[in-house]
Amino acid sequence: MTFPLLSRQALPLLALSSILALSGCASAGETGKKQAAASKTSAKTKKVVKPVQGDEFANFSQWSDVSSFIDQMVEKNGFNKQQLQSTLNQTHYVDSAIQLMKPAPPGKPKNWAAYRARFVEPVRINGGVAFWNQYADALARAEAKYGVPAEIIVAIIGVETVYGRNTGNFRVMDAITTLAFAYPDTPNRTARMNYFRVELENTLLFARDEQIDPFSLLGSYAGAIGWPQFMPGSIRKFAVDFDGNGHIDLRNSPVDAIGSVANFLVQHGWRSGEPTVFPAKVDMTENWQRFINQGLSAKFTLKEMKEAGVTPLVEPPADMLFGLVDLQNGADASEYWLGADNFFAITQYNRSFFYAMSVIDLSRAVRAARNF
């Protein structure tokens, strides 16, 4: 999903989360038999999903902030005021979305091994092979057009929704409107509400552009939609009609999802033909710590990192830039990697080192299983 929060499944890494439940990821305990069946879902197959029932009608249009939002939508985007008031008065307040957005209490130390085990496991590996086999032509076409390897696209869709199995059953209008105007009391509350108000605008614009009922859109508790869990704003910016039917449909078209994931990564810095990560070790006596918490970008030279005590275990190209990726393992030793531009492109999908490495490791496992 693409947006600047993370899900509660990423809580071992950050305080808030994919919005990976944004991603609606399935548990590792699901059976391979169920996953194999899910992987056969075609673009023409529409799953019947019962929406989460909102807690109550909130008469949102009577809220002063909502009334101001309606006026802005009328002036900026040409919406009919009465129709928009009616739409927002059909929208439900969803307390469960509020509760899921609240920061989790302090818990166990970050543990990369435990996090990885939830996503690099037989259900997603076997499902990834089946998905790749079923959509091999679309994946090959996306790889040729965008330069993103098929296994990376497969892995992102696998981590996000287990190949379309868990796309979420919240009405997007309910979830996003609730978060836009009643976000929980957190230090970043104002910024978060502004973010979701923009997403509410994009939800309404997307529904108008595609001539669909906005209440037909189902997604995660934060409003992420479809196989790849794109937020509405990301759909409007980065999603593509990859099956050529004249519509963008990330809910029912795995082919659109494939092209959209690839386009998203390219638009966020993916470099065709370049690697993602290189294993490394650090010299505890040196000044390597200065590379920690330096943002989600590759900006240090190999020479700089070596001089500070970071040694690659596989020698990378000398002309590339890197960031230091530290994967904490609870009481055990952390893993260290040199992250290249392509690694950090994946973190733009979900702002988490754990997430990006799980995508990379799942992609390798799926490719190995498919080529076995």
Side-chain angles (χ1 to χ4, degrees):
M1 68 35 44
T2 58
F3 71 109
L5 294 179
L6 304 177
S7 80
R8 288 190 175 269
Q9 302 220 17
L11 285 174
L13 181 61
L14 298 180
L16 185 60
S17 71
S18 14
I19 270 180
L20 216 122
L22 292 187
S23 312
C25 295
S27 69
E30 294 173 283
T31 66
K33 182 177 180 180
K34 289 181 180 179
Q35 176 54 45
S39 69
K40 294 180 180 179
T41 302
S42 71
K44 296 181 180 180
T45 300
K46 292 188 177 182
K47 296 178 292 184
V48 177
V49 179
K50 183 178 180 181
V52 171
Q53 180 63 48
D55 300 281
E56 58 181 296
F57 287 110
N59 288 321
F60 272 115
S61 73
Q62 302 304 309
W63 297 24
S64 61
D65 284 352
V66 178
S67 180
S68 296
F69 172 82
I70 290 171
D71 289 340
Q72 292 168 9
M73 291 291 287
V74 171
E75 181 179 354
K76 179 181 176 182
N77 298 304
F79 279 84
N80 178 279
K81 185 172 183 176
Q82 288 70 36
Q83 289 178 352
L84 192 50
Q85 287 174 330
S86 175
T87 297
L88 284 162
N89 278 335
Q90 296 174 56
T91 303
H92 285 204
Y93 177 92
V94 187
D95 185 66
S96 54
I98 298 294
Q99 299 307 317
L100 286 165
M101 275 294 178
K102 290 182 177 179
K108 297 179 181 179
K110 304 168 189 176
N111 191 313
W112 159 239
Y115 182 97
R116 181 186 186 277
R118 293 205 298 272
F119 301 107
V120 187
E121 43 79 37
V123 169
R124 284 180 171 83
I125 294 170
N126 295 334
V129 172
F131 180 84
W132 194 338
N133 288 340
Q134 184 173 359
Y135 297 105
D137 290 346
L139 287 160
R141 185 159 53 89
E143 185 167 348
K145 180 173 181 177
Y146 296 104
V148 179
E151 62 264 32
I152 293 291
I153 301 170
V154 170
I156 285 178
I157 295 173
V159 168
E160 290 292 339
T161 61
V162 197
Y163 314 104
R165 181 180 179 84
N166 296 331
T167 58
N169 62 342
F170 287 82
R171 291 201 312 181
V172 169
M173 276 294 297
D174 293 345
I176 288 183
T177 303
T178 299
L179 294 171
F181 298 103
Y183 197 87
D185 188 12
T186 61
N188 63 348
R189 183 174 189 262
T190 299
R192 294 290 74 202
M193 287 202 301
N194 288 338
Y195 168 78
F196 281 106
R197 289 177 194 185
V198 172
E199 290 300 334
L200 177 57
E201 177 183 10
N202 280 309
T203 301
L204 292 164
L205 288 169
F206 174 66
R208 185 173 71 177
D209 292 346
E210 289 292 320
Q211 298 184 338
I212 59 175
D213 179 357
F215 292 104
S216 71
L217 295 169
L218 302 183
S220 73
Y221 68 82
I225 295 169
W227 289 60
Q229 292 289 276
F230 273 26
M231 293 297 287
S234 289
I235 293 177
R236 297 189 69 235
K237 288 180 182 177
F238 308 115
V240 296
D241 171 23
F242 207 56
D243 63 13
N245 71 351
H247 296 278
I248 293 172
D249 187 357
L250 302 185
R251 299 173 295 163
N252 302 302
S253 174
V255 175
D256 281 0
I258 287 166
S260 298
V261 168
N263 185 53
F264 179 94
L265 291 176
V266 168
Q267 297 300 322
H268 287 84
W270 185 275
R271 296 173 180 267
S272 179
E274 292 191 3
T276 52
V277 290
F278 295 88
K281 64 179 181 179
V282 298
D283 185 341
M284 295 298 177
T285 66
E286 297 293 337
N287 190 31
W288 60 271
Q289 291 93 340
R290 70 186 182 90
F291 298 119
I292 300 296
N293 298 325
Q294 292 300 307
L296 300 177
S297 63
K299 54 189 175 184
F300 301 105
T301 66
L302 187 59
K303 182 175 182 292
E304 284 180 286
M305 302 192 85
K306 285 183 174 181
E307 289 175 349
V310 180
T311 303
L313 301 180
V314 176
E315 192 67 17
D319 59 347
M320 294 181 67
L321 296 177
F322 301 96
L324 184 61
V325 177
D326 61 320
L327 304 178
Q328 299 176 41
N329 251 329
D332 296 328
S334 297
E335 284 186 23
Y336 296 96
W337 298 77
L338 297 182
D341 284 319
N342 286 349
F343 175 86
F344 290 105
I346 299 172
T347 68
Q348 301 308 305
Y349 209 103
N350 182 312
R351 300 174 70 83
S352 158
F353 286 176
F354 279 19
Y355 176 88
M357 279 303 301
S358 70
V359 166
I360 291 166
D361 282 357
L362 178 59
S363 75
R364 292 168 174 168
V366 171
R367 174 171 279 281
R370 186 169 186 263
N371 293 338
F372 180 72

